[in-house]
Amino acid sequence: MNLRCPTLVLLVLATAGTASGADAVLTTRRLANGLEVLVYPDPVVPIVTAELVVRSGASYETPASSGLAHLYEHLFWPDPARPRPGLPVLKDRGISFNAQTRNESTGFYIVAPRDGLRDSLAYLREALRGPDLGPEHLAAQKAILLAEIRQADANPYTLMTRRVHELLFPRNRTFKNALGLEVVVDSAFARDVAALHRRITVPANLAVVVTGDCEPEAAFRLAADLFGDLPAGEAPPAQAEPGPPAARAGAEIITSPQVSDVVVKLGWRGPGVATDRAATYAADLLSTILEEPGGRFQRTLVDSGLAIGAEVTYATQRGTGVINVLFKSNPAKARDALRTVRQEIAALTTPGYFTDEELANARARIIADELFQREDLVRYSHTIGFWWASAGTDYLQDRIELTRRTGRAEIEDYIRRYLLAAPVSVAVVPDGRDRRALNTADLQAK
């Protein structure tokens, strides 16, 4: 199933007078023009968060457009040096706003006292009319974004992650680069950003999320009043999923004077919600099991002294998610640690590799983390927006129950279909003076 085009979602999280904590329920409503509104009520703290979510970002870009969504994020808020008539005044009212761009979404959010919801949504609606593309404002925001990109380029660990993604997706090497390419951002024109704005700010591509101390029906009415006049239209098509990986898994060494130990990251193409929804729950559970300090994986690598630390992660996405195994080791032990990681991955389907108790504990940890996030409603508004864009609201609402239902058979099937393939491998090693460190041949060895 192909990804849908970038979608703009208005997510509204609100609180009912009787709701609090675990009793709060996420309620959704779709406006006539296709814009979705999501409200999560919790009156414990007298603040509200209003977030506008757009399906956009790295997974919807090509190397020729990589970074435009991030630049649009920087330009979304009206230029304070050129205030627009009728724009609500947020400054000095205890109201703050920010934004973030991810692989499959961009979220623009405002945090305000509970009586500031109308002004917050009105501000988002006004900003949605179009970015301020005055030459000075455009140049200033490009400079800020370029500094972010260059700072990331100087970080060997960020570079390692980027290279893993580029090796995994050789036909679209920016498929997971939400930050963007310096050359694209530096050469972007106002017309490029304006064209992106017109393409992605279609109600079918938008959601409004409201969380906090407000009454849900009031939040729905406000969203309808302020966003219901947006003309309906079709969301733009998403970029096609990158083609198959390279015939031979890639490997690369990055040398850096900033490190004294060896850090290795192995990467696999994993399941996506649009193509293998059930496997995403298994992926989360296995990653949680393998990060349990008392489990076999951690005992074999960390407790043995081969690795200083090891982590296993999977990032749920609508398109292809990425599975990572990362470990840090002393240069003298790095080869043995890498060999052991490979042996452990190959042994994951061995009967008894993880116990029923470890599986139950992993389920409990994932569910507890979901519930814990709801205690921070600003953070939870981002969580809702993320799941809406990458998986759909039903995925978020069903996640706890389907995590409970996922068992050993589903996890072993996930392992066989995704983790037994050869991974790409990237290592950050000391700057070459230590001959004991890994080399490319070590990474390519089976």
Side-chain angles (χ1 to χ4, degrees):
M1 175 174 147
N2 290 332
L3 292 181
R4 292 294 306 276
C5 50
T7 301
L8 176 60
V9 176
L10 178 59
L11 176 61
V12 177
L13 298 179
T15 54
T18 59
S20 84
D23 296 328
V25 176
L26 176 65
T27 305
T28 67
R29 196 168 294 176
R30 190 180 300 276
L31 303 184
N33 60 9
L35 185 143
E36 194 167 355
V37 182
L38 303 93
V39 178
Y40 184 82
D42 193 331
V44 172
V45 179
I47 63 170
V48 290
T49 299
E51 183 158 355
L52 179 69
V53 188
V54 188
R55 284 197 180 115
S56 65
S59 296
Y60 299 98
E61 296 177 330
T62 67
S65 60
S66 176
L68 286 182
H70 196 177
L71 180 59
Y72 176 73
E73 173 213 313
H74 280 245
L75 292 163
F76 177 83
W77 302 112
D79 183 357
R82 303 195 311 172
R84 299 180 187 179
L87 190 67
V89 178
L90 303 185
K91 188 178 180 182
D92 300 328
R93 290 188 55 200
I95 296 176
S96 63
F97 54 90
N98 211 327
Q100 56 183 339
T101 296
R102 295 174 285 216
N103 287 330
E104 297 185 334
S105 65
T106 301
F108 308 95
Y109 61 96
I110 297 175
V111 183
R114 60 186 174 191
D115 64 353
L117 180 58
R118 170 175 281 280
D119 282 349
S120 297
L121 290 175
Y123 200 95
L124 287 168
R125 178 62 182 89
E126 178 61 31
L128 193 56
R129 297 184 188 281
D132 189 326
L133 297 175
E136 293 183 1
H137 188 49
L138 177 61
Q141 295 305 313
K142 285 173 67 172
I144 293 171
L145 179 50
L146 288 169
E148 289 184 35
I149 295 173
R150 289 162 186 158
Q151 183 179 25
D153 288 343
N155 185 320
Y157 303 116
T158 302
L159 184 59
M160 174 177 63
T161 297
R162 184 186 308 164
R163 290 298 297 137
V164 165
H165 292 160
E166 290 172 349
L167 291 170
L168 282 174
F169 305 101
R171 297 192 183 184
N172 183 355
R173 296 163 72 85
T174 61
F175 188 59
K176 298 294 181 182
N177 184 358
L179 196 59
L181 295 179
E182 180 177 350
V183 63
V184 173
V185 174
D186 194 32
S187 60
F189 292 99
R191 63 174 178 268
D192 300 320
V193 181
L196 176 66
H197 166 75
R198 290 191 298 271
R199 188 164 66 249
I200 65 176
T201 56
V202 178
N205 204 46
L206 298 173
V208 171
V209 178
V210 176
T211 61
D213 190 5
C214 71
E215 201 279 324
E217 287 301 321
F220 287 130
R221 286 194 299 271
L222 283 173
D225 289 345
L226 291 165
F227 296 88
D229 64 337
L230 287 170
E234 293 187 5
Q239 290 298 323
E241 282 280 281
R248 182 180 181 184
E252 184 172 311
I253 296 289
I254 299 171
T255 59
S256 173
Q258 301 178 44
V259 303
S260 56
D261 294 304
V262 173
V263 181
V264 179
K265 177 171 280 194
L266 310 179
W268 292 260
R269 288 191 182 197
V273 175
T275 56
D276 194 357
R277 186 186 187 101
T280 64
Y281 302 104
D284 284 337
L285 279 167
L286 181 66
S287 298
T288 305
I289 289 168
L290 298 183
E291 291 208 323
E292 182 62 41
R296 170 174 161 175
F297 189 79
Q298 295 293 328
R299 292 198 315 269
T300 304
L301 280 168
V302 180
D303 294 357
S304 68
L306 284 174
I308 300 168
E311 62 182 41
V312 183
T313 59
Y314 164 73
T316 306
Q317 300 276 256
R318 181 175 295 272
T320 303
V322 173
I323 307 161
N324 288 307
V325 174
L326 180 145
F327 68 88
K328 182 177 182 180
S329 181
N330 181 283
K333 298 180 179 180
R335 287 188 179 88
D336 288 340
L338 177 58
R339 182 173 62 253
T340 301
V341 167
R342 289 174 173 146
Q343 291 171 349
E344 292 301 300
I345 296 297
L348 286 175
T349 57
T350 302
Y353 191 95
F354 58 88
T355 66
D356 291 343
E357 182 181 7
E358 288 173 320
L359 175 55
N361 288 342
R363 290 194 189 104
R365 286 178 59 189
I366 290 172
I367 293 169
D369 181 67
E370 165 65 25
L371 297 175
F372 179 74
Q373 287 188 54
R374 300 177 189 181
E375 298 301 312
D376 180 345
L377 291 180
V378 177
R379 179 188 178 194
Y380 197 54
S381 73
H382 308 334
T383 298
I384 294 173
F386 166 82
W387 288 119
W388 170 84
S390 293
T393 309
D394 58 336
Y395 188 100
L396 172 59
Q397 293 173 319
D398 296 341
R399 187 169 179 243
I400 289 178
E401 179 58 30
L402 292 179
T403 296
R404 288 193 179 109
R405 294 183 190 178
T406 302
R408 185 178 298 274
E410 290 82 5
I411 294 173
E412 291 179 353
D413 181 62
Y414 157 72
I415 293 167
R416 293 188 183 97
R417 289 193 292 129
Y418 293 98
L419 277 169
L420 298 186
V424 302
S425 311
V426 179
V428 176
V429 304
D431 62 2
R433 292 177 299 218
D434 193 331
R435 297 294 180 179
R436 299 171 298 171
L438 291 173
N439 56 42
T440 304
D442 296 319
L443 296 177
Q444 293 173 332
K446 296 183 180 179

